[in-house]
Amino acid sequence: MLDKKNLLGFTQQQLNEFFSQMGEKPYRTRQLMQWIYKRHEFDFDNMLNLSKTLRGKLKSIANINLPNVVKQNFATDGVIKWVVGLGEHNNIEMVYIPEKDRGTLCISSQVGCALACTFCSTGMQGFNRNLSTAEIISQVLIASKYLDSQNKRISNVVFMGMGEPLLNEEAVYDACDLLLDDLAFGLSRRKVTISTSGVVPAMLRMADRTNVSLAISLHAPDDKLRSELVPINEKYPINELLAACKNYLKAGDQERHILFEYVMLDRVNDSVDYANKLAKLLKGISSKVNLIPFNPFPQTNYKTSKSSAIERFQDILHNSGIRTMTRRTRGEDVDAACGQLAGKVLDKTKRNI
Ligand code: SAH
Ligand code: SF4
Protein backbone atom coordinates (compact mmCIF):
# COMPACT_ATOMS: atom_id res chain seq x y z
CA MET A 1 0.00 0.00 0.00
CA LEU A 2 1.11 3.51 -0.79
CA ASP A 3 2.43 5.39 2.26
CA LYS A 4 0.16 8.34 2.91
CA LYS A 5 1.82 11.73 3.09
CA ASN A 6 1.52 13.52 6.43
CA LEU A 7 0.71 17.07 5.36
CA LEU A 8 1.83 18.48 8.71
CA GLY A 9 5.39 18.35 7.54
CA PHE A 10 4.73 20.47 4.44
CA THR A 11 5.75 24.10 4.20
CA GLN A 12 3.55 26.54 2.26
CA GLN A 13 5.75 26.13 -0.79
CA GLN A 14 5.66 22.33 -0.57
CA LEU A 15 1.87 22.37 -0.23
CA ASN A 16 1.65 24.55 -3.34
CA GLU A 17 3.64 21.94 -5.24
CA PHE A 18 1.53 19.14 -3.77
CA PHE A 19 -1.74 20.76 -4.87
CA SER A 20 -0.34 21.72 -8.23
CA GLN A 21 0.60 18.08 -8.87
CA MET A 22 -3.02 17.18 -8.08
CA GLY A 23 -4.17 19.74 -10.65
CA GLU A 24 -5.56 22.01 -7.91
CA LYS A 25 -5.29 25.80 -7.67
CA PRO A 26 -2.82 27.42 -5.24
CA TYR A 27 -5.60 28.83 -3.01
CA ARG A 28 -6.14 25.30 -1.73
CA THR A 29 -2.94 25.74 0.29
CA ARG A 30 -4.38 28.73 2.12
CA GLN A 31 -7.62 26.87 2.81
CA LEU A 32 -5.89 23.78 4.14
CA MET A 33 -3.43 25.74 6.29
CA GLN A 34 -6.28 27.70 7.78
CA TRP A 35 -8.02 24.49 8.83
CA ILE A 36 -4.88 23.03 10.33
CA TYR A 37 -3.22 26.00 12.00
CA LYS A 38 -6.04 28.41 12.78
CA ARG A 39 -8.91 26.05 13.48
CA HIS A 40 -7.01 22.96 14.58
CA GLU A 41 -9.14 20.76 12.37
CA PHE A 42 -7.29 17.64 11.25
CA ASP A 43 -10.07 15.62 9.62
CA PHE A 44 -10.47 16.23 5.86
CA ASP A 45 -14.18 15.30 6.11
CA ASN A 46 -14.82 18.40 8.20
CA MET A 47 -13.07 20.82 5.85
CA LEU A 48 -16.27 21.90 4.22
CA ASN A 49 -14.89 24.54 1.88
CA LEU A 50 -12.99 21.82 0.01
CA SER A 51 -15.09 20.02 -2.57
CA LYS A 52 -16.24 16.52 -1.73
CA THR A 53 -14.16 15.10 -4.57
CA LEU A 54 -11.05 16.85 -3.31
CA ARG A 55 -11.67 15.65 0.25
CA GLY A 56 -11.98 12.08 -1.08
CA LYS A 57 -8.78 12.42 -3.08
CA LEU A 58 -6.90 13.86 -0.13
CA LYS A 59 -8.07 11.05 2.12
CA SER A 60 -6.73 8.47 -0.29
CA ILE A 61 -3.21 9.87 -0.53
CA ALA A 62 -2.61 11.98 2.57
CA ASN A 63 -3.36 12.44 6.24
CA ILE A 64 -2.83 14.93 9.04
CA ASN A 65 -1.29 12.80 11.65
CA LEU A 66 -0.42 14.02 15.14
CA PRO A 67 1.47 11.78 17.55
CA ASN A 68 -0.14 10.68 20.83
CA VAL A 69 0.25 12.60 24.02
CA VAL A 70 1.42 10.04 26.58
CA LYS A 71 1.33 12.42 29.52
CA GLN A 72 0.65 16.04 30.32
CA ASN A 73 2.18 17.27 33.59
CA PHE A 74 1.36 20.51 35.35
CA ALA A 75 4.03 22.05 37.56
CA THR A 76 3.04 24.27 40.48
CA ASP A 77 4.57 27.33 38.79
CA GLY A 78 2.37 27.07 35.68
CA VAL A 79 4.88 25.18 33.55
CA ILE A 80 3.33 22.39 31.48
CA LYS A 81 5.26 19.41 30.18
CA TRP A 82 3.96 17.07 27.51
CA VAL A 83 5.39 13.62 26.85
CA VAL A 84 4.71 12.63 23.24
CA GLY A 85 4.91 9.04 21.98
CA LEU A 86 6.59 8.44 18.63
CA GLY A 87 6.33 4.65 18.50
CA GLU A 88 9.07 2.06 18.92
CA HIS A 89 9.40 2.99 22.61
CA ASN A 90 10.55 6.50 21.78
CA ASN A 91 9.12 9.43 23.69
CA ILE A 92 10.03 13.09 23.40
CA GLU A 93 9.09 16.02 25.58
CA MET A 94 8.18 19.66 25.17
CA VAL A 95 7.60 22.32 27.79
CA TYR A 96 5.48 25.48 28.01
CA ILE A 97 6.85 28.21 30.25
CA PRO A 98 4.35 30.99 30.94
CA GLU A 99 5.56 34.43 31.93
CA LYS A 100 3.74 37.66 32.65
CA ASP A 101 3.92 39.04 29.15
CA ARG A 102 4.73 35.96 27.09
CA GLY A 103 4.68 32.20 26.84
CA THR A 104 7.61 30.18 25.58
CA LEU A 105 7.37 26.69 24.14
CA CYS A 106 10.59 24.68 24.33
CA ILE A 107 10.56 21.92 21.71
CA SER A 108 12.65 18.87 20.80
CA SER A 109 14.40 18.21 17.50
CA GLN A 110 15.73 14.67 18.00
CA VAL A 111 14.96 11.54 20.00
CA GLY A 112 17.84 11.86 22.45
CA CYS A 113 21.12 13.45 21.46
CA ALA A 114 24.37 11.98 20.23
CA LEU A 115 26.60 14.76 21.52
CA ALA A 116 26.90 13.66 25.15
CA CYS A 117 27.55 16.94 26.94
CA THR A 118 28.52 15.79 30.41
CA PHE A 119 25.96 17.89 32.35
CA CYS A 120 22.91 17.07 30.20
CA SER A 121 20.42 14.34 30.93
CA THR A 122 19.27 14.15 27.29
CA GLY A 123 22.88 13.54 26.30
CA MET A 124 23.16 10.71 28.80
CA GLN A 125 20.15 8.98 27.25
CA GLY A 126 21.92 8.35 23.98
CA PHE A 127 20.41 8.89 20.56
CA ASN A 128 17.81 7.16 18.44
CA ARG A 129 16.84 9.31 15.46
CA ASN A 130 16.03 12.71 14.02
CA LEU A 131 12.48 14.04 14.21
CA SER A 132 10.64 14.78 10.97
CA THR A 133 9.27 18.26 10.26
CA ALA A 134 5.80 16.88 11.02
CA GLU A 135 6.95 15.62 14.43
CA ILE A 136 8.53 18.98 15.26
CA ILE A 137 5.48 20.98 14.15
CA SER A 138 3.13 18.55 15.95
CA GLN A 139 4.66 19.63 19.25
CA VAL A 140 3.67 23.23 18.58
CA LEU A 141 0.22 22.24 17.36
CA ILE A 142 -0.52 19.98 20.32
CA ALA A 143 0.56 22.69 22.74
CA SER A 144 -1.21 25.54 20.96
CA LYS A 145 -4.45 23.58 20.67
CA TYR A 146 -4.46 22.98 24.41
CA LEU A 147 -3.34 26.52 25.30
CA ASP A 148 -5.99 28.06 23.02
CA SER A 149 -8.62 26.29 25.08
CA GLN A 150 -7.12 27.97 28.16
CA ASN A 151 -6.91 31.40 26.51
CA LYS A 152 -3.14 31.29 26.65
CA ARG A 153 -0.80 31.67 23.77
CA ILE A 154 2.64 30.77 22.56
CA SER A 155 4.66 33.90 21.84
CA ASN A 156 8.11 32.30 21.56
CA VAL A 157 9.41 28.95 20.37
CA VAL A 158 12.88 27.74 21.30
CA PHE A 159 14.70 24.63 20.09
CA MET A 160 16.07 23.95 23.56
CA GLY A 161 14.37 20.64 24.30
CA MET A 162 15.85 17.25 23.47
CA GLY A 163 18.41 17.01 20.70
CA GLU A 164 20.82 19.10 18.68
CA PRO A 165 18.77 21.01 16.07
CA LEU A 166 21.73 21.67 13.79
CA LEU A 167 22.26 17.94 13.35
CA ASN A 168 18.75 17.76 11.90
CA GLU A 169 18.97 20.76 9.64
CA GLU A 170 16.39 20.26 6.88
CA ALA A 171 13.54 19.26 9.18
CA VAL A 172 14.36 22.09 11.59
CA TYR A 173 14.61 24.75 8.86
CA ASP A 174 11.30 23.64 7.31
CA ALA A 175 9.73 23.76 10.77
CA CYS A 176 11.11 27.30 11.17
CA ASP A 177 9.50 28.27 7.85
CA LEU A 178 6.15 27.16 9.27
CA LEU A 179 6.74 28.90 12.60
CA LEU A 180 7.36 32.18 10.76
CA ASP A 181 4.64 31.72 8.13
CA ASP A 182 1.56 33.91 8.69
CA LEU A 183 -0.62 31.12 7.34
CA ALA A 184 0.71 28.83 10.09
CA PHE A 185 2.08 30.22 13.38
CA GLY A 186 3.11 33.71 12.23
CA LEU A 187 5.85 34.30 14.79
CA SER A 188 8.46 36.97 14.22
CA ARG A 189 12.00 35.76 13.59
CA ARG A 190 13.13 37.20 16.89
CA LYS A 191 10.73 34.93 18.73
CA VAL A 192 12.04 31.69 17.29
CA THR A 193 15.42 30.51 18.55
CA ILE A 194 17.65 27.66 17.50
CA SER A 195 20.04 26.68 20.27
CA THR A 196 23.18 24.80 19.26
CA SER A 197 26.16 23.35 21.03
CA GLY A 198 28.22 24.61 18.11
CA VAL A 199 27.93 22.61 14.89
CA VAL A 200 30.00 25.14 12.95
CA PRO A 201 29.42 24.03 9.31
CA ALA A 202 25.66 23.97 9.93
CA MET A 203 25.81 27.43 11.50
CA LEU A 204 27.37 28.72 8.30
CA ARG A 205 24.62 27.12 6.20
CA MET A 206 21.96 28.39 8.59
CA ALA A 207 22.90 31.97 7.75
CA ASP A 208 21.78 31.36 4.14
CA ARG A 209 18.68 29.36 4.92
CA THR A 210 16.77 30.98 7.77
CA ASN A 211 16.87 34.15 9.83
CA VAL A 212 15.60 33.02 13.21
CA SER A 213 17.56 33.85 16.35
CA LEU A 214 20.64 31.90 17.30
CA ALA A 215 21.67 30.73 20.77
CA ILE A 216 25.02 29.13 21.51
CA SER A 217 25.62 26.73 24.37
CA LEU A 218 29.03 28.04 25.32
CA HIS A 219 29.47 26.96 28.96
CA ALA A 220 33.20 27.67 29.12
CA PRO A 221 35.48 30.43 27.83
CA ASP A 222 38.48 28.24 27.00
CA ASP A 223 38.94 25.15 24.86
CA LYS A 224 40.33 22.94 27.60
CA LEU A 225 37.30 23.22 29.86
CA ARG A 226 34.78 23.46 27.01
CA SER A 227 36.02 20.23 25.45
CA GLU A 228 35.46 18.50 28.79
CA LEU A 229 31.89 19.75 29.08
CA VAL A 230 30.81 19.92 25.44
CA PRO A 231 32.75 17.22 23.55
CA ILE A 232 31.88 18.63 20.09
CA ASN A 233 34.28 21.45 20.98
CA GLU A 234 37.18 19.16 20.06
CA LYS A 235 35.93 19.15 16.50
CA TYR A 236 34.89 22.81 16.36
CA PRO A 237 36.90 24.86 18.86
CA ILE A 238 35.90 28.23 20.28
CA ASN A 239 37.66 30.43 17.70
CA GLU A 240 35.82 28.67 14.83
CA LEU A 241 32.57 28.84 16.79
CA LEU A 242 32.87 32.58 17.34
CA ALA A 243 33.81 33.16 13.70
CA ALA A 244 30.58 31.37 12.70
CA CYS A 245 28.68 33.57 15.18
CA LYS A 246 30.14 36.70 13.62
CA ASN A 247 29.17 35.41 10.19
CA TYR A 248 25.59 34.93 11.40
CA LEU A 249 25.52 38.45 12.80
CA LYS A 250 26.80 39.85 9.53
CA ALA A 251 24.12 38.03 7.54
CA GLY A 252 21.33 39.59 9.62
CA ASP A 253 20.19 43.11 10.39
CA GLN A 254 21.95 45.41 12.82
CA GLU A 255 19.67 44.54 15.68
CA ARG A 256 20.63 40.89 15.60
CA HIS A 257 22.48 39.54 18.60
CA ILE A 258 23.56 36.11 19.73
CA LEU A 259 22.43 34.56 22.96
CA PHE A 260 25.20 32.73 24.79
CA GLU A 261 24.02 30.10 27.26
CA TYR A 262 26.28 29.27 30.18
CA VAL A 263 25.29 26.52 32.61
CA MET A 264 26.50 27.34 36.13
CA LEU A 265 28.34 24.35 37.58
CA ASP A 266 29.64 24.62 41.11
CA ARG A 267 33.43 25.06 41.14
CA VAL A 268 33.73 23.89 37.54
CA ASN A 269 33.13 26.97 35.38
CA ASP A 270 31.86 29.62 37.80
CA SER A 271 35.07 31.29 39.08
CA VAL A 272 36.01 34.96 38.82
CA ASP A 273 38.76 33.95 36.45
CA TYR A 274 36.32 32.28 34.04
CA ALA A 275 33.97 35.26 34.23
CA ASN A 276 36.81 37.61 33.25
CA LYS A 277 37.87 35.30 30.43
CA LEU A 278 34.30 35.14 29.15
CA ALA A 279 33.92 38.91 29.22
CA LYS A 280 37.11 39.23 27.19
CA LEU A 281 36.05 36.55 24.73
CA LEU A 282 32.69 38.18 23.96
CA LYS A 283 34.03 41.69 23.62
CA GLY A 284 32.90 43.22 20.35
CA ILE A 285 30.29 40.54 19.61
CA SER A 286 26.68 41.72 19.78
CA SER A 287 25.56 39.33 22.48
CA LYS A 288 23.47 38.56 25.51
CA VAL A 289 24.46 36.00 28.11
CA ASN A 290 22.03 33.70 29.81
CA LEU A 291 23.38 32.08 32.96
CA ILE A 292 21.53 28.81 33.62
CA PRO A 293 21.77 27.39 37.12
CA PHE A 294 22.57 23.70 36.61
CA ASN A 295 19.52 21.48 37.00
CA PRO A 296 20.46 18.21 38.61
CA PHE A 297 19.18 14.80 37.52
CA PRO A 298 19.89 11.26 38.74
CA GLN A 299 23.36 9.94 37.74
CA THR A 300 25.12 13.29 37.83
CA ASN A 301 27.95 14.41 40.08
CA TYR A 302 27.70 18.08 39.17
CA LYS A 303 26.21 20.55 41.60
CA THR A 304 24.50 23.87 40.99
CA SER A 305 26.66 26.94 41.60
CA LYS A 306 26.01 28.83 44.82
CA SER A 307 23.81 31.90 44.32
CA SER A 308 26.68 34.09 45.48
CA ALA A 309 28.89 32.65 42.74
CA ILE A 310 26.20 33.24 40.13
CA GLU A 311 25.73 36.85 41.27
CA ARG A 312 29.46 37.47 41.25
CA PHE A 313 29.73 36.00 37.75
CA GLN A 314 26.83 38.09 36.50
CA ASP A 315 28.28 41.29 38.01
CA ILE A 316 31.61 40.80 36.27
CA LEU A 317 29.89 40.40 32.91
CA HIS A 318 27.60 43.36 33.58
CA ASN A 319 30.52 45.55 34.51
CA SER A 320 32.17 44.67 31.21
CA GLY A 321 29.08 45.92 29.41
CA ILE A 322 27.62 42.52 28.53
CA ARG A 323 23.88 42.13 28.94
CA THR A 324 23.48 39.16 31.28
CA MET A 325 20.49 37.43 32.78
CA THR A 326 20.21 34.50 35.12
CA ARG A 327 17.55 32.10 33.94
CA ARG A 328 15.07 31.30 36.64
CA THR A 329 14.63 27.57 37.13
CA ARG A 330 11.07 26.59 36.20
CA GLY A 331 9.05 23.39 36.22
CA GLU A 332 11.45 21.41 38.42
CA ASP A 333 8.71 19.48 40.18
CA VAL A 334 7.79 17.78 36.89
CA ASP A 335 11.40 17.46 35.63
CA ALA A 336 10.79 20.09 32.97
CA ALA A 337 13.73 22.41 33.65
CA CYS A 338 16.57 22.90 31.12
CA GLY A 339 18.57 19.76 30.71
CA GLN A 340 16.11 17.57 32.59
CA LEU A 341 14.19 16.43 29.54
CA ALA A 342 14.92 12.77 29.16
CA GLY A 343 11.89 11.35 27.34
CA LYS A 344 12.41 7.72 26.56
CA VAL A 345 15.11 6.91 24.08
CA LEU A 346 15.87 3.56 22.60
CA ASP A 347 19.59 4.27 22.38
CA LYS A 348 21.11 3.20 19.10
CA THR A 349 24.60 4.37 19.94
CA LYS A 350 24.78 1.81 22.77
CA ARG A 351 26.74 4.37 24.70
CA ASN A 352 25.15 3.40 27.99
CA ILE A 353 25.89 -0.30 27.79
N1 SAH B 1 21.36 20.75 21.86
C1 SAH B 1 21.11 22.12 21.93
C2 SAH B 1 19.72 22.47 22.41
C3 SAH B 1 19.16 21.67 23.57
S1 SAH B 1 19.89 21.91 25.12
C4 SAH B 1 22.15 22.82 22.78
O1 SAH B 1 22.93 22.15 23.43
O2 SAH B 1 22.17 24.05 22.74
C5 SAH B 1 19.21 23.46 25.67
C6 SAH B 1 20.03 24.16 26.74
O3 SAH B 1 19.95 23.50 28.01
C7 SAH B 1 21.50 24.20 26.38
O4 SAH B 1 22.06 25.45 26.61
C8 SAH B 1 22.06 23.18 27.33
O5 SAH B 1 23.42 23.36 27.49
C9 SAH B 1 21.24 23.41 28.56
N2 SAH B 1 21.35 22.31 29.53
C10 SAH B 1 21.58 21.00 29.28
N3 SAH B 1 21.61 20.29 30.43
C11 SAH B 1 21.39 21.16 31.44
C12 SAH B 1 21.26 21.03 32.86
N4 SAH B 1 21.36 19.84 33.45
N5 SAH B 1 21.03 22.13 33.58
C13 SAH B 1 20.87 23.33 32.98
N6 SAH B 1 20.96 23.52 31.64
C14 SAH B 1 21.22 22.45 30.86
FE1 SF4 C 1 22.80 17.39 23.16
FE2 SF4 C 1 22.39 19.96 23.80
FE3 SF4 C 1 22.29 18.05 25.70
FE4 SF4 C 1 24.63 18.69 24.58
S1 SF4 C 1 23.31 20.03 25.84
S2 SF4 C 1 23.89 16.60 24.95
S3 SF4 C 1 24.02 19.11 22.48
S4 SF4 C 1 20.90 18.26 23.97
Side-chain angles (χ1 to χ4, degrees), residues 7 10-20 24-41 44 47-50 54 58 64 178 180-186:
L7 298 185
F10 283 51
T11 61
Q12 182 178 160
Q13 200 187 351
Q14 290 161 350
L15 277 177
N16 281 338
E17 281 158 28
F18 170 79
F19 279 122
S20 143
E24 292 288 334
K25 296 255 160 53
Y27 70 86
R28 295 299 188 194
T29 298
R30 178 176 287 272
Q31 288 178 320
L32 184 75
M33 289 181 80
Q34 240 154 14
W35 282 114
I36 299 177
Y37 297 104
K38 308 291 177 206
R39 304 179 70 166
H40 300 138
E41 177 59 67
F44 295 126
M47 301 182 178
L48 294 177
N49 59 358
L50 308 183
L54 175 56
L58 284 172
I64 298 171
L178 283 162
L180 302 188
D181 190 336
D182 284 337
L183 289 185
F185 299 100

Side-chain angles (χ1 to χ4, degrees), residues 3-263:
D3 258 353
K4 289 191 182 178
K5 292 195 160 96
N6 185 1
L7 298 185
L8 278 188
F10 283 51
T11 61
Q12 182 178 160
Q13 200 187 351
Q14 290 161 350
L15 277 177
N16 281 338
E17 281 158 28
F18 170 79
F19 279 122
S20 143
Q21 277 166 13
M22 288 175 81
E24 292 288 334
K25 296 255 160 53
Y27 70 86
R28 295 299 188 194
T29 298
R30 178 176 287 272
Q31 288 178 320
L32 184 75
M33 289 181 80
Q34 240 154 14
W35 282 114
I36 299 177
Y37 297 104
K38 308 291 177 206
R39 304 179 70 166
H40 300 138
E41 177 59 67
F42 308 127
D43 185 345
F44 295 126
D45 279 334
N46 295 332
M47 301 182 178
L48 294 177
N49 59 358
L50 308 183
S51 69
K52 206 165 168 204
T53 334
L54 175 56
R55 279 184 263 148
K57 263 205 246 173
L58 284 172
K59 267 183 0 191
S60 67
I61 57 168
N63 56 25
I64 298 171
N65 200 359
L66 278 125
N68 291 331
V69 174
V70 177
K71 238 193 285 172
Q72 194 176 356
N73 292 324
F74 298 87
T76 47
D77 60 3
V79 163
I80 306 172
K81 179 171 94 169
W82 288 262
V83 181
V84 173
L86 299 181
E88 294 180 330
H89 307 290
N90 285 319
N91 289 344
I92 50 147
E93 304 184 344
M94 75 265 194
V95 177
Y96 177 71
I97 307 136
E99 261 151 307
K100 232 190 252 137
D101 50 347
R102 61 194 165 122
T104 301
L105 187 72
C106 175
I107 59 174
S108 297
S109 56
Q110 298 184 309
V111 181
C113 183
L115 294 185
C117 301
T118 51
F119 51 85
C120 173
S121 91
T122 305
M124 290 191 75
Q125 295 270 308
F127 173 74
N128 184 279
R129 66 173 175 84
N130 279 336
L131 298 191
S132 64
T133 308
E135 288 166 334
I136 296 172
I137 283 302
S138 294
Q139 298 171 61
V140 193
L141 264 180
I142 289 170
S144 62
K145 188 171 178 196
Y146 172 77
L147 293 164
D148 263 9
S149 73
Q150 306 293 305
N151 277 327
K152 293 187 183 132
R153 56 185 272 283
I154 297 170
S155 62
N156 298 60
V157 173
V158 295
F159 284 86
M160 295 185 188
M162 297 165 66
E164 169 48 57
L166 290 190
L167 289 179
N168 184 13
E169 283 180 80
E170 276 320 305
V172 165
Y173 297 152
D174 282 352
C176 287
D177 287 350
L178 283 162
L179 290 169
L180 302 188
D181 190 336
D182 284 337
L183 289 185
F185 299 100
L187 297 173
S188 94
R189 58 159 194 79
R190 286 194 199 102
K191 311 244 155 157
V192 177
T193 304
I194 290 181
S195 172
T196 178
S197 55
V199 187
V200 167
M203 288 168 64
L204 299 173
R205 286 188 290 269
M206 183 180 156
D208 294 325
R209 175 60 178 80
T210 182
N211 61 2
V212 300
S213 301
L214 178 62
I216 303 293
S217 292
L218 191 59
H219 308 313
D222 69 38
D223 282 321
K224 184 166 174 292
L225 180 59
R226 189 164 195 270
S227 294
E228 267 172 44
L229 301 175
V230 184
I232 198 180
N233 190 69
E234 281 180 31
K235 206 161 173 191
Y236 306 117
I238 291 176
N239 62 347
E240 291 179 28
L241 178 61
L242 292 186
C245 287
K246 286 179 187 156
N247 176 68
Y248 199 71
L249 286 171
K250 219 167 58 197
D253 57 41
Q254 291 215 320
E255 287 163 53
R256 187 177 269 185
H257 63 261
I258 304 234
L259 180 71
F260 289 95
E261 297 161 280
Y262 196 100
V263 65

